[in-house]
Amino acid sequence: MPLIEAKNVSKHYYKRKGFFGKKELIKAVDNVSFSIEKGTTLGLVGETGCGKTTLAKCLLRLINPTSGAILFKGKDLSKMKSEELDDYHRSVQIVFQNPFTSLNPRMTIRNIISEPIITHKKINKTELETELVRLLKVVGLNETHLSRYPHELSGGQNQRVAIARAIALNPELIILDEPTSALDVSVQATILNLLNELQKQFNLSYIFISHDLGVVRFISDYIIVMYSGKFVEMGPSEDILGQPLHPYTKMLLLALPLPDPKKKIELIQHQMKALEDWRGGCVFLQKCPYGMELCKKEEPEMVEVREKHFVACYYTIKGDRR
Amino acid sequence: MVEPILSVEKLDVSFSTFEGLAHVLSKVTFKINHKEVFALVGETGCGKTVTALSIIKLLPRNSYVQGRIIFNGRNILELKESDMVEVRGKSMAMILQDPSSSLNPMFKVGEQLCDAITSNDPNIKEPKRYALELLSKVGFKDTERVFNSYPNELSGGMQQRVAISISLTGKPTLLIADEPTTALDVLTQAQIIQLLKQVRDTYSTSVLLITHNLGLVATLCDRVGIMYFGQVVEIGPTYDLFYNTKHPYTKGLLQSLPYNKLKNQTLPTIPGDLPSPLSPPSGCRFYPRCPRSNESCSKDVPEILPITDKHYVACFNPLSGDE
Ligand SMILES: Nc1ncnc2c1ncn2[C@@H]1O[C@H](COP(=O)(O)OP(=O)(O)OP(=O)(O)O)[C@@H](O)[C@H]1O
Ligand SMILES: Nc1ncnc2c1ncn2[C@@H]1O[C@H](COP(=O)(O)OP(=O)(O)OP(=O)(O)O)[C@@H](O)[C@H]1O
Ligand SMILES: [Mg+2]
Ligand SMILES: [Mg+2]
């Protein structure tokens, strides 16, 4: 049984266009399904604004999905009793992108890490102290850091604090929303090593959100590519990055600047097509160089083309690929 | 020989803090040539943003600055604020990491753009036409719609392009971009790279790019300066820095990239943390973390010296080319 399963999850917002304007429907997340096994890492990539954080918030129950179901160990969250939900909230944690804004600047590191422990566990003072020291050690810090404030630590150290806080309640899943993008590459490497280490030690699952495909490839077992609220491709990471199928995934890989001055990036100039008779077709059609008639009419569904490798694209599945 | 656009010479910056004086920059020296894209790379907190703020003279009050910053033949550090206002916006502009912080959420993009245009040149007759022209220069097709939008109606990448268009109103000779693409996806990032190149070509602008992204450095920049703890430790053409790396810190950065590595591998890291700016180590600032350090490194400060006519390194024991 998967640890977490999302079935047809959507989150829609209505936004007023202008002051008196009509309300516009924003499908931040639209009918997505996936599952994550224990001890594995799922990478989530996609355009700015495609719905990654919104999906993460749905999983954390910070917001309620408009429709769809989320199952934890086979059990529907919406049917859980409050103790079961407590258990779920303990089991799923998040680490945000910017350690400087996600940690309360007025709290010491001691209070930041103790907070979730005190709220969720009955624990006396000496036990708490032992626990704090253990957690700091796990993330490569020590008790001298306890009395400091976030601004007195470096970006990498703060991110370690955020991770210590996230693992304090022995979670089973940690959602990492761009956890290393504010950090330099050597600090990033220490954080990535730490995450791999913790995963082995505690059999943790991760959802790793990032724009850096190099990092995502390194850390993930599976990758989901998102575009405009939808999943467009999903599969084992070596497959997705080694033999990408969806035109959007291919574009992303071509645009990735490699740390090698001998290589140049390629930009597929995606002219936005004016589409008059376009309603309900493929979300990527406007930017797609291969759009076919069918793509305008019907929305492609995820189809398994290789083992565990899914793609939602008519051109890939049906179109001629000469 | 052609004079560089910008020459930073032995720049020292310290801040007075509650705990004492924090020495943040020490003898930072580099130059940027005409139409060049120059990158500054280095560990979080090593002083890249402080360097940029010194150049555009926007450091907070608790700072002490020494050295020289020669821009277009004048020492910026000696300019009065009234002269500096003229320089900023007109010949020097800065793009911040977070585009939303450089745009005012209360005003439409068009108003902000026209404001910037008229404050640079009060005599301009049709600011709107110029504004639309700038918007199309930064890659917008539906310029009229963008002109009439509020910032929050645009995506992060669009906001960043608007911020760039505002920074171009004065046709700057130097554009400082502090992490302009960190929050953006790779396609939007690629568009912004393209745009920066275009800006350099059409306006003959030089660019100072501050970034952690070595992919960006490799694809976009002509020369790179590597900073460690307030000092420039290696400087040279991009190709040489990647393929003929001299400083052990630069090597450490390049090796810690996860590209082409497998999940069960441990990434090489640079052990230890940045030392405190309140009590910097004596000798080479990198020696406590350096795999190649020896006796002399703890005693003397290595000066930045040329290895070839373009490639400089501050190290007593630099790598030889084939390591
Ligand atoms: N509270 C809200 N009200 C209205 N629209 C929203 C709200 N929250 C998010 N959105 C919209 O939903 C879409 C998805 O946003 P989300 O933050 O999930 O993107 P993301 O993939 O995390 O992007 P990024 O890579 O920039 O972090 C965006 O178009 C955003 O404008
Ligand atoms: N106003 C200030 N007062 C005291 N110290 C400061 C001030 N501004 C910056 N510093 C310190 O100066 C050092 C350099 O900071 P800077 O912001 O330049 O780093 P950076 O290289 O840009 O890092 P990052 O990659 O994280 O953006 C840091 O140790 C920082 O704490
Ligand atoms: Mg997000
Ligand atoms: Mg900075």
Side-chain angles (χ1 to χ4, degrees):
Chain A
M1 193 192 338
L3 179 68
I4 287 193
E5 200 176 351
K7 285 185 176 166
N8 309 98
V9 169
S10 297
K11 179 70 195 177
H12 295 176
Y13 290 107
Y14 287 94
K15 182 183 166 281
R16 211 177 275 284
K17 254 190 176 172
F19 202 69
F20 299 108
K22 269 197 318 214
K23 275 192 176 172
E24 180 194 20
L25 177 66
I26 296 169
K27 298 180 174 179
V29 172
D30 195 30
N31 197 17
V32 303
S33 303
F34 69 97
S35 62
I36 177 163
E37 302 289 335
K38 219 166 157 34
T40 63
T41 302
L42 184 68
L44 189 55
V45 301
E47 232 192 353
T48 322
C50 70
K52 304 179 294 292
T53 302
T54 306
L55 181 58
K57 285 182 181 161
C58 289
L59 291 177
L60 286 163
R61 288 181 32 99
L62 291 172
I63 53 178
N64 275 324
T66 312
S67 61
I70 296 168
L71 280 62
F72 179 60
K73 295 179 180 167
K75 216 160 176 197
D76 194 331
L77 291 188
S78 64
K79 300 194 177 94
M80 279 187 180
K81 294 194 214 71
S82 73
E83 316 92 79
E84 286 174 310
L85 276 177
D86 274 356
D87 185 42
Y88 176 76
H89 284 148
R90 194 186 51 68
S91 303
V92 181
Q93 295 290 326
I94 187 157
V95 173
F96 287 103
Q97 168 177 9
N98 190 339
F100 296 103
T101 51
S102 65
L103 301 178
N104 186 337
R106 277 183 289 274
M107 276 163 78
T108 58
I109 304 306
R110 174 192 304 278
N111 291 341
I112 288 171
I113 306 179
S114 318
E115 192 183 42
I117 306 178
I118 297 167
T119 11
H120 284 269
K121 277 189 192 165
K122 283 211 172 64
I123 189 167
N124 69 32
K125 232 178 159 189
T126 37
E127 284 167 344
L128 178 65
E129 211 57 26
T130 329
E131 182 62 5
L132 287 175
V133 173
R134 179 189 76 86
L135 286 167
L136 287 172
K137 204 169 156 217
V138 170
V139 298
L141 299 172
N142 58 57
E143 55 266 39
T144 62
H145 296 108
L146 280 175
S147 56
R148 303 213 202 157
Y149 289 89
H151 72 93
E152 295 172 311
L153 298 180
S154 73
Q157 289 174 331
N158 276 318
Q159 208 54 304
R160 285 165 190 253
V161 170
I163 293 171
R165 180 187 155 100
I167 61 173
L169 299 168
N170 308 320
E172 299 185 73
L173 171 71
I174 303 181
I175 301 175
L176 302 134
D177 196 351
E178 308 203 33
T180 61
S181 51
L183 308 174
D184 64 274
V185 291
S186 66
V187 180
Q188 167 175 283
T190 60
I191 299 288
L192 295 177
N193 285 341
L194 172 65
L195 290 173
N196 276 340
E197 192 53 44
L198 293 175
Q199 180 159 57
K200 269 188 239 146
Q201 208 175 333
F202 303 112
N203 200 26
L204 285 171
S205 309
Y206 296 133
I207 294 179
F208 194 98
I209 302 176
S210 175
H211 288 305
D212 189 331
L213 293 168
V215 173
V216 172
R217 162 187 264 154
F218 172 73
I219 196 101
S220 310
D221 303 295
Y222 286 89
I223 291 177
I224 293 174
V225 183
M226 245 181 125
Y227 186 85
S228 187
K230 296 243 175 222
F231 290 176
V232 295
E233 188 165 1
M234 171 160 82
S237 53
E238 284 315 306
D239 273 14
I240 298 273
L241 298 173
Q243 298 160 287
L245 294 173
H246 198 282
Y248 178 60
T249 316
K250 289 180 187 167
M251 273 188 190
L252 283 181
L253 285 171
L254 287 174
L256 177 70
L258 293 173
D260 182 348
K262 284 180 185 165
K263 304 225 167 82
K264 290 279 163 253
I265 52 165
E266 272 179 65
L267 253 190
I268 298 179
Q269 277 302 340
H270 38 259
Q271 293 289 344
M272 287 281 236
K273 285 171 235 153
L275 297 165
E276 315 79 34
D277 55 344
W278 179 57
R279 222 175 291 112
C282 172
V283 283
F284 190 60
L285 185 57
Q286 271 186 305
K287 285 190 181 171
C288 186
Y290 313 110
M292 309 184 297
E293 266 314 300
L294 180 58
C295 308
K296 289 185 194 166
K297 294 192 188 102
E298 266 173 72
E299 197 182 299
E301 303 225 326
M302 285 288 239
V303 176
E304 188 167 8
V305 254
R306 298 195 199 109
E307 205 195 338
K308 292 186 175 164
H309 188 163
F310 296 79
V311 66
C313 172
Y314 288 127
Y315 172 76
T316 311
I317 299 160
K318 300 187 177 168
D320 72 346
R321 268 176 278 157
R322 266 171 296 171
Chain B
M1 226 193 99
V2 193
E3 286 286 305
I5 285 288
L6 176 81
S7 170
V8 177
E9 296 164 14
K10 300 209 164 145
L11 179 67
D12 278 11
V13 175
S14 35
F15 292 102
S16 62
T17 66
F18 286 122
E19 290 101 350
L21 204 60
H23 304 275
V24 168
L25 296 185
S26 165
K27 294 194 179 145
V28 168
T29 301
F30 63 90
K31 60 185 191 322
I32 300 180
N33 297 312
H34 184 62
K35 282 187 86 165
E36 182 174 62
V37 182
F38 180 78
L40 266 187
V41 177
E43 189 148 354
T44 322
C46 72
K48 303 178 295 292
T49 301
V50 169
T51 304
L53 293 176
S54 312
I55 295 170
I56 199 156
K57 234 179 157 177
L58 286 176
L59 281 174
R61 288 246 186 82
N62 65 336
S63 57
Y64 300 93
V65 185
Q66 276 178 343
R68 285 173 11 124
I69 299 175
I70 309 297
F71 176 64
N72 282 337
R74 291 197 291 179
N75 186 356
I76 291 283
L77 297 180
E78 286 168 359
L79 288 186
K80 288 200 295 285
E81 180 56 25
S82 54
D83 293 328
M84 201 52 215
V85 171
E86 176 107 1
V87 171
R88 260 178 242 133
K90 246 200 193 134
S91 42
M92 198 194 275
M94 185 155 172
I95 306 168
L96 304 173
Q97 173 169 358
D98 177 11
S100 56
S101 65
S102 48
L103 300 175
N104 188 332
M106 307 298 287
F107 295 99
K108 286 184 178 169
V109 164
E111 292 172 60
Q112 301 189 44
L113 200 46
C114 288
D115 261 6
I117 291 169
T118 45
S119 76
N120 270 316
D121 182 359
N123 300 323
I124 205 150
K125 294 228 173 51
E126 289 176 89
K128 177 166 180 190
R129 221 185 62 195
Y130 185 39
L132 293 176
E133 197 183 302
L134 278 173
L135 288 175
S136 84
K137 279 232 168 66
V138 298
F140 287 113
K141 302 243 153 50
D142 44 356
T143 51
E144 194 69 50
R145 180 178 78 91
V146 175
F147 189 91
N148 287 311
S149 297
Y150 288 94
N152 71 344
E153 293 167 339
L154 304 172
S155 80
M158 291 163 95
Q159 287 181 16
Q160 192 59 287
R161 279 188 276 164
V162 169
I164 295 175
S165 75
I166 290 177
S167 71
L168 293 179
T169 49
K171 303 196 176 81
T173 44
L174 178 67
L175 185 63
I176 303 172
D178 193 354
E179 302 267 2
T181 61
T182 336
L184 306 175
D185 61 279
V186 289
L187 282 178
T188 315
Q189 170 176 289
Q191 280 173 355
I192 289 188
I193 300 177
Q194 208 75 346
L195 176 63
L196 287 175
K197 283 185 175 165
Q198 220 175 307
V199 165
R200 176 192 57 187
D201 296 340
T202 35
Y203 296 116
S204 301
T205 300
S206 306
V207 182
L208 170 59
L209 177 75
I210 295 174
T211 184
H212 289 308
N213 186 332
L214 294 172
L216 267 191
V217 173
T219 37
L220 177 67
C221 300
D222 304 307
R223 287 193 310 126
V224 191
I226 305 288
M227 279 184 82
Y228 180 77
F229 195 50
Q231 294 180 329
V232 177
V233 295
E234 184 167 6
I235 202 163
T238 306
Y239 190 90
D240 294 7
L241 257 97
F242 279 81
Y243 281 102
N244 189 12
T245 313
K246 290 294 176 198
H247 200 283
Y249 176 65
T250 314
K251 192 79 192 169
L253 282 182
L254 291 172
Q255 281 175 337
S256 59
L257 286 170
Y259 295 83
N260 304 322
K261 302 218 174 68
L262 299 173
K263 187 173 162 79
N264 48 22
Q265 287 178 295
T266 304
L267 297 172
T269 56
I270 302 169
D273 270 307
L274 270 187
S276 158
L278 296 167
S279 52
S282 62
C284 170
R285 291 181 162 195
F286 188 54
Y287 99 86
R289 301 173 70 185
C290 181
R292 298 170 69 87
S293 64
N294 57 31
E295 195 67 14
S296 59
C297 303
S298 64
K299 298 201 186 86
D300 303 314
V301 182
E303 265 189 74
I304 185 151
L305 296 170
I307 286 191
T308 67
D309 61 338
K310 287 187 181 128
H311 193 168
Y312 291 68
V313 64
C315 179
F316 292 125
N317 199 10
L319 293 109
S320 64
D322 43 9
E323 278 174 81

